[in-house]
Amino acid sequence: MERARRGSLKGALGSHDRPASALGFRRVLAVFGALVLLLGTIAAVLWTHQLWLAVLLGAGFVAACVNVYWVNRRLHYERPQH
């Protein structure tokens, strides 16, 4: 019986030997979070006129966009397009 190295995965993604990760669902959550923060930033600018709130939500939106990018890169490396 051949032993696989620790940490190496065999088989196709989604098979019993190599189950699919939750990165697809994480991307959905990341995009949803970015949209909520964008809408919150717009609402803070239009309705409250509170600069500190708009800056805080804008910074959160930028961080959420970085998270979306990071998850997309991880998905790209996990599921390369042939």
Side-chain angles (χ1 to χ4, degrees):
M1 180 174 165
E2 181 181 336
R3 291 188 55 146
R5 289 186 329 204
R6 182 174 176 90
S8 83
L9 298 172
K10 293 187 174 187
L13 183 65
S15 69
H16 179 70
D17 294 328
R18 187 175 174 202
S21 72
L23 282 175
F25 182 64
R26 187 170 178 180
R27 177 172 46 186
V28 170
L29 290 178
V31 169
F32 178 73
L35 288 175
V36 167
L37 284 166
L38 176 63
L39 293 175
T41 303
I42 292 170
V45 169
L46 295 178
W47 290 334
T48 65
H49 303 291
Q50 297 288 327
L51 182 62
W52 67 270
L53 184 59
V55 169
L56 182 68
L57 290 172
F61 172 69
V62 170
C65 288
V66 170
N67 187 36
V68 169
Y69 173 76
W70 181 79
V71 171
N72 281 334
R73 296 310 308 158
R74 291 269 316 260
L75 270 171
H76 174 73
Y77 288 120
E78 184 176 278
R79 301 177 192 163
Q81 305 298 325
H82 299 310

